[in-house]
């Protein structure tokens, strides 16, 4: 009996420790899913109320069209977004396609990214309250809140980035190879959303070199190679779409394409003019700094600076928490060169893969440093939670105040086409308006016409015998001058069109005739120039 009693004490202690660990783990995941549920409800409430959005209305409207019709968007093609669109079309939900697509590709991954942010900060700081603060600060950051309520690909990119980072943190901390393989699998799948994920390759190489003794084994290598193959296979689905007769529209890629055309499409070669152009000025770096400062006025800059300083100060005590911070800041630094190098400085959406990991890492660094003073850590966490909640309230007021951009678009365009000088007129439109028109056109709600963006309208204008059409809004003078420059035998004139009251853009018709005909008809046209 004495032997049995002596053995039962450590057994009971072990069971007690296991129970506490299980209870703690269960509580962590309950809080994580609570964070997820909160941000799902928040972003759903704040969704942009219609086609497009304030960040990039044309791209958003184009992605929203996938909710009801299979089309090809701009490169690199986004096979994951294509799959989400196919899923929504198959489900045929009783909601507007633009709403379903925005919720699925932006709000859901945005909420997931905030949940992973909670797990990362909680893991590094060992404080659930700091985890909640990290999720609130990320979710209510201005760029994150806007992107997660409009149809764009970057919330999903951030969800992939933070998920991969979290798994790498778990691997570095526990040395369990399953975490590394899972990180590789998620990373490989992320290429189906955006090829900018290639910027994380150096970080993976560094982690592999630091743990080469445990990772360079046939089973690990085979698992990673399998993950790469599965990730690359997403582009086979995209290739299938390019040859599917059901694909109703392609912006850049001719259908069906050659292999070379398809490879150029998925690498975005038609954007090559932007490659490296960001280095020619300081615009890209300046707009990135503006994004970081405006994420949370008064607090994001001090928080980021404090996090970086505290990370560097912890160099001597490189424990598991510090290495987790190193992963997060390494992820941030991985994407900075792309943002500065790529010349689309006016598109702040590119900054989310930098802002997200940096904000999460800085919050975790502050919380980790305060861990030695529990009361101070608790007070700071509560203060950040209060600020995050206030910021979320302010952002919600601004987000819900946004108004639809393209209201009654079919009726507005129909009134213009009815005044066109020819049947099946060419209608030259700005990119944003053209993509919103495409959404309705694919639903059969637009009058018959040849709708083009300005850089497509130039060639389309002279494809038919009678060169005439409509220009919306005032880019038409440039179009007419281009026609006259390329075709000196033509003379063009234009006149304003009547539009419904409140239409936010001007529009006018144009007609081009041979110089001789134009001279004989001078002064007898449809309203004069």
């Amino acid at each position: 009996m004495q032997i049995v009693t002596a053995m039962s004490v450590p057994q009971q202690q072990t069971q007690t420790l296991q129970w506490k660990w299980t209870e703690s783990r269960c509580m962590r995941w309950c809080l994580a899913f609570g964070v997820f549920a909160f941000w799902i409800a928040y972003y759903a409430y704040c969704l942009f109320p219609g086609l497009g959005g304030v960040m990039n209305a044309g791209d958003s409207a184009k992605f929203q069209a996938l909710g009801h019709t299979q089309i090809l968007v701009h490169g690199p093609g986004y096979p994951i977004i294509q799959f989400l669109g196919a899923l929504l079309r198959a489900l045929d939900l009783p909601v507007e396609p633009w709403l379903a697509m925005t919720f699925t590709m932006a709000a859901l991954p945005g909420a997931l990214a905030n949940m992973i942010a909670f797990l990362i900060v909680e893991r590094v700081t060992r404080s659930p309250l700091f985890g909640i603060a990290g999720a609130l600060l990320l979710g209510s950051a201005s760029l994150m809140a806007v992107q997660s309520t409009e149809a764009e690909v970057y919330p999903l990119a951030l969800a992939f980035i933070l998920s991969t980072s979290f798994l790498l943190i778990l691997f570095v901390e526990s040395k369990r190879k399953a975490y590394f393989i899972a990180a590789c699998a998620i990373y490989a799948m992320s290429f189906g959303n955006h090829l900018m994920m290639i910027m994380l390759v150096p970080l993976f190489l560094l982690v592999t070199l630091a743990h080469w003794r445990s990772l360079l084994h046939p089973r690990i290598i085979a698992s990673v190679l399998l993950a790469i193959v599965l990730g690359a296979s997403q582009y086979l689905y995209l290739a299938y779409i390019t040859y599917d007769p059901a694909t109703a529209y392609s912006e850049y890629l001719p259908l069906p394409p050659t292999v070379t055309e398809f490879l150029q499409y998925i690498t975005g070669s038609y954007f090559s003019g932007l490659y490296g152009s960001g280095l020619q000025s300081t615009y890209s770096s300046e707009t990135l700094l503006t994004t970081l400062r405006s994420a949370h006025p008064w607090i994001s800059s001090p928080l980021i600076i404090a996090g970086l300083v505290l990370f560097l100060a912890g160099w001597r005590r490189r424990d598991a928490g510090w290495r987790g911070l190193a992963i997060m800041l390494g992820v941030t630094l991985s994407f900075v060169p792309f943002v500065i190098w790529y010349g689309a400085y006016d598109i702040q959406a590119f900054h989310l893969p930098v802002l997200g990991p940096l904000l999460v890492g800085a919050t975790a660094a502050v919380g980790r440093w305060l861990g030695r003073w529990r009361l101070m850590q608790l007070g700071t966490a509560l203060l950040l939670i209060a600020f995050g909640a206030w910021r979320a309230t302010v952002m919600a007021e601004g987000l819900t105040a946004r108004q639809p951009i393209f209201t009654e678009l079919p009726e507005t365009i129909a009134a213009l086409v009815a005044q066109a000088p020819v049947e099946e007129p060419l209608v030259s439109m700005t990119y944003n308006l053209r993509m919103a028109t495409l959404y309705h056109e694919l639903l059969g709600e637009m009058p018959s016409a040849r709708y083009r963006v300005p850089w497509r309208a130039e060639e389309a204008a002279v494809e038919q015998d009678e060169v005439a059409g409509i220009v919306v809004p005032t880019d038409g003078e440039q179009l007419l001058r281009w026609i006259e420059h390329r075709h000196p035998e033509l003379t063009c004139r234009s006149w304003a069109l009547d539009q419904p009251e409140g239409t936010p853009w001007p529009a006018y018709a144009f007609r081009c005739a041979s110089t001789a005909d134009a001279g004989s008809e001078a002064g007898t046209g449809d309203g004069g120039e």
Side-chain angles (χ1 to χ4, degrees):
M1 288 295 295
Q2 291 179 352
I3 295 176
V4 173
T5 304
M7 292 178 62
S8 65
V9 172
Q11 288 176 349
Q12 290 175 355
Q13 291 177 342
T14 301
Q15 291 176 352
T16 300
L17 290 174
Q18 290 177 342
W19 171 255
K20 288 183 178 180
W21 180 82
T22 303
E23 186 179 25
S24 174
R25 186 181 183 187
C26 180
M27 180 62 67
R28 179 186 303 118
W29 283 101
C30 285
L31 286 174
F33 284 115
V35 168
F36 178 76
F38 168 79
W39 286 109
I40 278 288
Y42 179 90
Y43 290 144
Y45 173 71
C46 298
L47 279 184
F48 187 80
L51 290 177
V54 299
M55 186 65 69
N56 194 331
D59 283 358
S60 292
K62 183 166 51 182
F63 285 126
Q64 288 167 327
L66 288 170
H68 59 70
T69 305
Q70 179 173 283
I71 65 172
L72 278 179
V73 297
H74 55 276
Y78 309 101
I80 288 181
I81 304 300
Q82 291 281 357
F83 174 77
L84 292 177
L87 178 63
L88 291 177
R89 294 193 298 271
L91 292 175
D92 193 21
L93 300 173
V95 297
E96 292 290 342
W98 62 262
L99 189 153
M101 198 66 198
T102 306
F103 180 82
T104 303
M105 69 178 292
L108 274 174
L112 178 61
N114 294 334
M115 184 186 81
I116 302 300
F118 163 81
L119 292 172
I120 291 173
V121 177
E122 192 276 338
R123 188 82 182 189
V124 171
T125 63
R126 299 297 192 265
S127 168
L129 287 178
F130 245 97
I132 294 173
L136 273 171
L137 290 176
L138 175 61
S140 62
S142 56
L143 181 60
M144 180 65 174
V146 171
Q147 285 283 282
S148 297
T149 55
E150 298 180 5
E152 260 292 0
V153 300
Y154 297 100
L156 182 54
L158 183 60
F160 276 120
I161 291 168
L162 294 183
S163 298
T164 302
S165 303
F166 181 55
L167 290 168
L168 287 178
I169 290 172
L170 293 179
F171 165 70
V172 170
E173 181 179 316
S174 68
K175 304 299 186 294
R176 292 182 60 183
K177 303 177 185 65
Y179 288 132
F180 182 81
I181 295 173
C184 290
I186 290 179
Y187 180 56
M189 294 302 296
S190 72
F191 279 81
N193 181 60
H194 206 297
L195 291 183
M196 71 186 299
M197 295 296 291
I198 197 172
M199 301 303 296
L200 279 183
V201 168
L203 178 65
F204 267 91
L205 292 178
L206 288 175
V207 173
T208 303
L209 289 174
H211 303 84
W212 67 272
R213 295 181 186 276
S214 60
L215 293 179
L216 296 184
H217 289 285
R219 289 185 179 180
I220 305 297
I221 294 173
S223 299
V224 172
L225 289 177
L226 177 61
I228 294 173
V229 170
L230 291 175
S233 67
Q234 297 173 91
Y235 285 89
L236 295 177
Y237 174 62
L238 188 62
Y240 162 77
I241 292 175
T242 65
Y243 288 92
D244 186 359
T247 302
Y249 172 83
S250 176
E251 183 177 3
Y252 291 98
L253 187 66
L255 299 178
T258 64
V259 173
T260 301
E261 289 171 337
F262 180 71
L263 291 177
Q264 291 175 341
Y265 170 70
I266 65 175
T267 55
S269 62
Y270 44 84
F271 294 137
S272 60
L274 295 173
Y275 296 170
S277 62
L279 301 176
Q280 298 174 7
S281 70
T282 60
Y283 285 142
S284 295
S285 55
E286 289 173 2
T287 54
L288 175 60
L289 291 175
T290 299
T291 298
L292 299 181
R293 287 195 301 266
S294 62
H296 292 290
W298 314 300
I299 192 174
S300 57
S301 293
L303 180 65
I304 289 171
I305 293 171
L308 294 175
V309 170
L310 293 176
F311 168 74
L312 295 175
W315 171 262
R316 293 185 177 180
R317 190 168 64 93
R318 297 189 294 275
D319 56 8
W322 187 90
R323 289 192 290 271
L325 294 177
I327 293 290
M328 294 308 303
L329 296 179
V331 169
T332 300
L333 290 176
S334 296
F335 287 102
V336 169
F338 174 84
V339 171
I340 295 177
W341 172 79
Y342 193 66
Y345 59 85
D346 58 332
I347 304 179
Q348 285 187 290
F350 284 115
H351 301 165
L352 196 58
V354 175
L355 173 65
L358 182 56
L359 203 55
V360 171
T363 305
V366 173
R368 174 181 173 274
W369 183 76
L370 291 173
R372 65 192 75 181
W373 303 289
R374 288 297 181 181
L375 287 178
M376 188 177 295
Q377 185 191 53
L378 175 63
T380 304
L382 292 174
L383 183 63
L384 290 176
I385 289 173
F387 178 86
W390 171 80
R391 178 65 172 165
T393 302
V394 172
M395 286 302 301
E397 292 177 355
L399 294 172
T400 54
R402 293 174 297 180
Q403 296 297 318
I405 303 173
F406 307 106
T407 57
E408 299 181 352
L409 189 58
E411 295 81 3
T412 302
I413 300 299
L416 298 180
V417 173
Q419 304 174 64
V422 294
E423 296 291 332
E424 292 284 329
L426 170 71
V427 183
S428 176
M429 299 173 148
T430 59
Y431 175 73
N432 291 345
L433 184 57
R434 170 63 187 125
M435 293 301 104
T437 303
L438 176 68
Y439 180 94
H440 292 286
E441 182 184 7
L442 295 173
L443 287 173
E445 298 173 350
M446 299 298 295
S448 180
R450 294 182 296 152
Y451 300 99
R452 299 289 188 276
V453 290
W455 54 91
R456 302 291 184 191
E458 294 175 352
E459 294 291 344
V462 294
E463 289 177 352
Q464 296 186 350
D465 295 334
E466 194 166 11
V467 182
I470 298 171
V471 176
V472 186
T474 56
D475 59 351
E477 289 299 324
Q478 182 179 354
L479 174 63
L480 301 189
R481 299 294 80 80
W482 180 90
I483 294 174
E484 291 177 336
H485 174 73
R486 294 288 298 272
H487 301 272
E489 74 280 6
L490 296 178
T491 299
C492 301
R493 57 192 181 85
S494 61
W495 59 95
L497 296 178
D498 296 330
Q499 298 191 80
E501 184 178 355
T503 303
W505 49 75
Y508 51 88
F510 71 92
R511 185 192 297 273
C512 300
S514 67
T515 304
D517 294 340
S520 64
E521 295 179 5
T524 62
D526 304 274
E529 185 170 350

